[in-house]
Amino acid sequence: MSWTASSDLGDAHVFITGGTGFVGQAIVERLLSSHPATTISLLIRTKGSTTADDRLRTLLRKPVFGPWRERVGEEEVERAVRERLRVIEGDLANVPPLPADLDVVIHSASTVSFDPPIDQAFETNLGGAIALYTALAESGGDPHVVHVSTAYVGGLRKGIVPEGRLKHEVDWRAELTAARDARVRVEMASRQPETLRTFMNDARAVHGKEGPQAVATAAETGRVEWVRERLVDYGRSRAQSLGWTDVYTLTKSFAERAAEELWRDAGHRLSVVRPAIIESALRHPYPGWIDGFKVADPLVLAYARGNLTQFPALPDTVLDVIPVDYVVNVILAVAANPAAADAEVDSAYYHVSSGARNPLPIHRMFTNMNEFFTATPLPHESDGHIEVPYWTFPGTRKVDRVLHNQEIWNARLERALERLPSTERTRVHVKKALKRKDDLENLRTFVELYRAYVQTEIIFDDRNTRALHNALPAELRDDIGFDVTAIDWEDYLQKVHFPSITALTRAFALRPAASERVAKAFPKRSDVLAVFDFEGTVVDSNIVEQYLWVRSAGFRKAAWPGEVASLLTSLPGYLKAEHRDRGEFIRAFLRRYSGMPAKRLEKVVSGGYRETLLRHTMPSAIARIQEHRAAGHRTVLVTGSIGILASPLAALFDDVVAGSMHERDGILTGYLAQPPLVDEARAAWLRRYAETHGMDLSKSYGYGDSHSDLVWLQLVGNPTAINPDTNLSREALRRRWSIHNWKRGTRGASALPQFAKGTGE
């Protein structure tokens, strides 16, 4: 028996949750552009200092509303804001009282992640649904609710999935209680002494040279991440133990059950729309419209970037993709045509999917990706274009084995690089290892996240949806219909969807790395600091070499072999101290000056030591210091060692900040007069120095070479790593700091400016 569906919502008052999300935006736009008599209420929360009303106006400036704004003009847009759009301030965690005159409710809000922590997934998807239906019941109204779910709520299964009410006996209330309690249990476990010691040991191994606060911060960061990972694993494991792919689909299925029990079973009208994988628009509001990357897009872009050399997908698995405008058309058609009171319950469920009548197998999706990104490849970050791989679909076990072996190999390479001297060649390898690590982590994430979706054998029946489309007025079906057989996948993917998502990436793909940016002249300012570390940054020496220069100038030849032997014997202990804590190493090593007359040290420094130090001063450092001084910046040299060893370069700087050695009767005791100015102590000094001198750290510059410099370098707005050690190099690359390879000293004082010669005055 044929029937004619309504195509208009008339003057209905429509309430939308999730109106700022991807699908929600498209629903609002379609109501504004195609249903001009409707009134639209949106649940929008404040965000920081931005009010809900301001967020609405920001929403209306997004690209999805562009064609509508252009067609109706700004005056009509303002009229719509005044007369048609209403903001209900709040969110699903705190639903305010709702109007009693609502005709239609479209519940489209949900988490956008497949794999969130279990408590977050339950609170957003299930807790939000409970709060909504409770508020609707308390309002006293009787709207028709269109509950937007997902086609994958049926869980792990094979074969055809009919449109209809889910059949499972899982107690969703008990699961909600357990999920809420999970965070408490995991948080308690994370605070047990044995667990905390693990976080501390891991943090100390990586951040020990930055100082105790850096270690504590890293340990707490590690604890928080451990809690998050445990809760994510908790959600994934619980979902799979109950027969669902992930916690997202599990909680969406429970939300459906809550809607049925709290709304339909209470005598109200409920329709459930279950979209498959929603991607960019086919036609409306314009071909290719999308708001950020969606479910399949990270996978597509990872392939385009050459990161997915293989993937554990079954080539004949159907990737059930549906354009977002089809989803919106179904939602609004369902909203305008609620099931009759005497209709079968299952008639109120609608799959919005393509797999049953216009399937897109994985191998066909791959062919389209390969053809498109071969013809229009993404630009390579260094030069040329990225060559995409060719998948042979070797199977899950082989891909997992190869991935595991690559992860082990790269981890070993990283550990080996940490032990090598920091050279330009080493830093190139560090950069490659970091990129490979990121690629492998992304691949691991994709494998775990998408495994169920690219190996599924589910086909979603869409009889109810097809019948609704066929019941629409024939002359309107091209505009508001949703016939999936009309989708030409090659045309949609290669001319609509892939161009739309790659357009979002090209600006970033061409952005140069921080270390490759062209240096600009420094702005002339008097409130800017230029802070330089001494050893390894301004001079290509360290305190061990400086000690040898001092001793070689003040020793009898007969005593020299004994001193060298003593130094070599102590070297392992010094290296261990340096690895643990820079300050500990400086204290230990400077003890070797014990017993030296202070006057003799001064004489040695002003003589042969000075000439040696000048020969080891880096010309690039001299040039950079001069540039800062020419710009009016205050230049400061900082060393954790004693100031007399840096005194030959004092004339280059406005200030030299260093330690001094304790004396007794003119003899050096080997003890520092104050703690060495390194890591966190240097950061504390820098804050106070900037405050005292009225300097703007956000505009200031810092130059360092060691991982121990990280904690103070991150305080300035323009940090630069100079010939960095492996750990600092890794952090600088990760943070996109500038990295420079300054050449070693010219071994000749002629390379230095005149004022650094002679007396240094």
Side-chain angles (χ1 to χ4, degrees):
M1 181 177 178
S2 62
W3 60 287
T4 301
S6 174
S7 61
D8 189 10
L9 287 166
D11 60 355
H13 184 182
V14 183
F15 173 58
I16 303 173
T17 69
T20 59
F22 177 43
V23 175
Q25 291 178 46
I27 295 171
V28 174
E29 189 281 333
R30 194 56 139 153
L31 287 172
L32 287 172
S33 63
S34 301
H35 299 268
T38 55
T39 300
I40 307 164
S41 289
L42 297 169
L43 183 67
I44 302 178
R45 70 177 184 272
T46 58
K47 202 170 186 180
S49 60
T50 306
T51 67
D53 288 314
D54 289 339
R55 290 192 66 198
L56 172 62
R57 289 193 171 273
T58 300
L59 175 68
L60 293 177
R61 289 194 292 270
K62 299 195 78 169
V64 66
F65 298 99
W68 169 69
R69 296 184 72 116
E70 186 176 345
R71 188 177 74 253
V72 303
E74 290 305 307
E75 185 176 334
E76 174 60 22
V77 172
E78 288 302 315
R79 187 195 71 80
V81 172
R82 291 192 310 270
E83 300 178 10
R84 296 185 59 194
L85 289 165
R86 301 177 185 177
V87 171
I88 298 178
E89 192 169 299
D91 57 27
L92 291 176
N94 184 25
V95 180
L98 298 177
D101 66 341
L102 298 176
D103 299 300
V104 175
V105 172
I106 300 175
H107 176 43
S108 68
S110 71
T111 180
V112 297
S113 172
F114 281 167
D115 225 14
I118 188 171
D119 59 322
Q120 292 179 15
F122 269 81
E123 287 297 349
T124 302
N125 290 338
L126 179 54
I130 294 171
L132 172 64
Y133 292 115
T134 301
L136 287 173
E138 292 174 350
S139 73
D142 184 29
H144 170 213
V145 176
V146 180
H147 182 102
V148 182
S149 185
T150 174
Y152 295 92
V153 287
L156 293 163
R157 60 179 63 198
K158 296 182 179 182
I160 296 176
V161 178
E163 295 164 305
R165 188 165 182 163
L166 295 176
K167 296 177 175 61
H168 66 79
E169 301 301 325
V170 182
D171 186 340
W172 59 267
R173 290 179 175 86
E175 293 298 324
L176 175 60
T177 299
R180 286 170 169 167
D181 292 343
R183 181 168 291 274
V184 175
R185 296 195 299 272
V186 175
E187 286 281 358
M188 289 180 63
S190 76
R191 289 173 166 82
Q192 296 302 307
E194 58 275 13
T195 314
L196 291 174
R197 279 192 288 270
T198 300
F199 301 142
M200 286 292 294
N201 291 337
D202 291 345
R204 194 175 290 113
V206 178
H207 300 277
K209 292 182 69 174
E210 298 171 44
Q213 286 303 307
V215 170
T217 298
E220 178 60 12
T221 299
R223 187 196 68 81
V224 171
E225 180 61 21
W226 184 85
V227 168
R228 191 196 70 81
E229 290 177 355
R230 287 292 294 269
L231 290 171
V232 168
D233 184 56
Y234 196 141
R236 183 189 304 117
S237 300
R238 186 53 181 153
Q240 293 174 356
S241 73
L242 291 172
W244 274 267
T245 54
D246 47 49
V247 74
Y248 170 77
T249 56
L250 175 69
T251 53
K252 292 292 281 186
S253 71
F254 289 166
E256 279 194 23
R257 182 57 56 84
E260 292 159 354
E261 294 184 16
L262 300 178
W263 194 246
R264 174 183 290 140
D265 293 353
H268 303 288
R269 294 164 296 166
L270 175 72
S271 299
V272 178
V273 175
R274 296 173 178 160
I277 300 172
I278 310 173
E279 291 295 348
S280 61
L282 179 64
R283 287 188 292 267
H284 190 90
Y286 55 84
W289 172 75
I290 195 169
D291 186 57
F293 301 130
K294 302 306 160 194
V295 174
D297 303 336
L299 190 64
V300 174
L301 292 174
Y303 173 79
R305 292 179 176 125
N307 296 339
L308 300 183
T309 55
Q310 291 289 350
F311 201 70
L314 298 176
D316 54 355
T317 289
V318 171
L319 190 65
D320 209 312
V321 172
I322 197 77
V324 65
D325 45 341
Y326 274 43
V327 177
V328 172
N329 288 352
V330 173
I331 290 171
L332 295 183
V334 169
N337 296 275
D342 58 351
E344 294 182 6
V345 170
D346 286 352
S347 67
Y349 292 80
Y350 301 86
H351 283 153
V352 193
S353 55
S354 58
R357 292 184 294 127
N358 189 7
L360 175 64
I362 290 288
H363 67 82
R364 187 175 176 186
M365 178 70 169
F366 164 71
T367 299
N368 278 280
M369 290 194 304
N370 184 263
E371 289 178 357
F372 179 82
F373 290 110
T374 298
T376 56
L378 293 182
H380 196 278
E381 63 177 8
S382 57
D383 188 32
H385 294 84
I386 298 172
E387 183 177 348
V388 292
Y390 191 87
W391 289 354
T392 58
F393 301 101
T396 301
R397 292 181 181 178
K398 184 172 182 179
V399 171
D400 284 344
R401 184 169 61 252
V402 170
L403 176 57
H404 178 68
N405 291 338
Q406 288 180 342
E407 289 170 333
I408 292 175
W409 181 85
N410 199 65
R412 289 174 177 170
L413 176 62
E414 284 191 278
R415 288 193 294 270
L417 290 171
E418 288 178 1
R419 297 185 179 94
L420 293 176
S422 180
T423 64
E424 186 171 357
R425 185 177 180 181
T426 304
R427 288 190 287 277
V428 170
H429 287 297
V430 168
K431 184 177 181 179
K432 290 180 178 178
L434 284 175
K435 184 179 184 305
R436 191 180 301 109
K437 180 181 180 180
D438 288 342
D439 292 345
L440 290 171
E441 288 178 350
N442 287 335
L443 178 55
R444 173 65 68 185
T445 299
F446 289 139
V447 167
E448 297 299 330
L449 196 60
Y450 291 101
R451 188 188 301 270
Y453 297 91
V454 297
Q455 296 180 1
T456 183
E457 297 180 36
I458 298 176
I459 300 296
F460 302 110
D461 184 29
D462 63 348
R463 295 180 186 179
N464 294 340
T465 306
R466 183 167 70 251
L468 181 58
H469 169 81
N470 292 335
L472 292 172
E475 68 276 11
L476 298 178
R477 290 176 193 165
D478 286 345
D479 180 32
I480 64 171
F482 29 88
D483 179 11
V484 294
T485 63
I487 303 173
D488 180 329
W489 289 119
E490 279 65 34
D491 186 79
Y492 170 71
L493 292 173
Q494 299 202 39
K495 295 182 181 179
V496 177
H497 184 59
F498 293 160
S500 73
I501 60 174
T502 54
L504 299 176
T505 69
R506 294 190 184 276
F508 299 102
L510 292 171
R511 184 176 57 187
S515 58
E516 298 169 349
R517 294 171 189 161
V518 178
K520 297 180 180 178
F522 294 124
K524 293 185 178 296
R525 297 181 62 132
S526 60
D527 62 343
V528 163
L529 284 172
V531 183
F532 291 80
D533 182 45
F534 181 46
E535 293 91 359
T537 302
V538 173
V539 296
D540 69 337
S541 70
N542 52 52
I543 64 174
V544 176
E545 288 181 299
Q546 293 162 19
Y547 171 77
L548 292 175
W549 297 343
V550 169
R551 283 302 197 183
S552 64
F555 258 93
R556 301 185 311 277
K557 289 185 178 180
W560 184 245
E563 180 64 21
V564 173
S566 172
L567 181 61
L568 291 175
T569 301
S570 303
L571 192 58
Y574 291 145
L575 290 175
K576 289 180 180 179
E578 166 71 9
H579 182 73
R580 290 191 300 268
D581 185 288
R582 176 70 176 171
E584 179 184 346
F585 164 67
I586 290 174
R587 286 187 177 94
F589 192 83
L590 291 183
R591 288 277 299 176
R592 303 190 74 88
Y593 285 91
S594 176
M596 178 179 287
K599 293 294 185 182
R600 180 191 296 176
L601 178 59
E602 292 173 4
K603 182 178 180 181
V604 168
V605 168
S606 63
Y609 172 91
R610 179 182 182 282
E611 295 303 319
T612 302
L613 183 69
L614 293 180
R615 289 198 303 271
H616 283 263
T617 302
M618 300 189 200
S620 295
I622 302 298
R624 183 58 57 91
I625 296 164
Q626 288 179 306
E627 290 171 9
H628 281 294
R629 297 189 73 165
H633 302 169
R634 188 178 184 90
T635 56
V636 183
L637 178 68
V638 187
T639 177
S641 184
I642 52 179
I644 190 172
L645 298 179
S647 60
L649 299 181
L652 290 170
F653 299 91
D654 295 303
D655 210 348
V656 175
V657 180
S660 59
M661 192 167 286
H662 177 258
E663 299 178 23
R664 182 181 293 115
D665 299 328
I667 304 298
L668 301 179
T669 64
Y671 297 111
L672 290 172
Q674 60 279 319
L677 205 60
V678 294
D679 52 66
E680 289 176 359
R682 189 175 297 186
W685 160 82
L686 180 56
R687 292 189 192 95
R688 177 62 62 87
Y689 188 93
E691 180 182 349
T692 302
H693 292 84
M695 296 292 162
D696 185 347
L697 284 181
S698 69
K699 303 297 182 184
S700 293
Y701 299 78
Y703 301 86
D705 71 299
S706 169
H707 190 212
S708 62
D709 295 322
L710 177 65
V711 69
W712 67 268
L713 281 173
Q714 63 190 2
L715 297 180
V716 299
N718 302 284
T720 300
I722 304 298
N723 304 330
D725 62 26
T726 303
N727 288 323
L728 179 60
S729 177
R730 181 170 54 242
E731 283 299 311
L733 288 167
R734 186 176 66 83
R735 300 171 189 236
R736 299 184 65 82
W737 287 357
S738 293
I739 299 175
H740 289 297
N741 300 306
W742 286 354
K743 300 300 182 182
R744 302 306 185 186
T746 61
R747 309 294 175 184
S750 61
L752 298 173
Q754 189 63 37
F755 66 80
K757 298 182 182 179
T759 63
E761 296 179 354

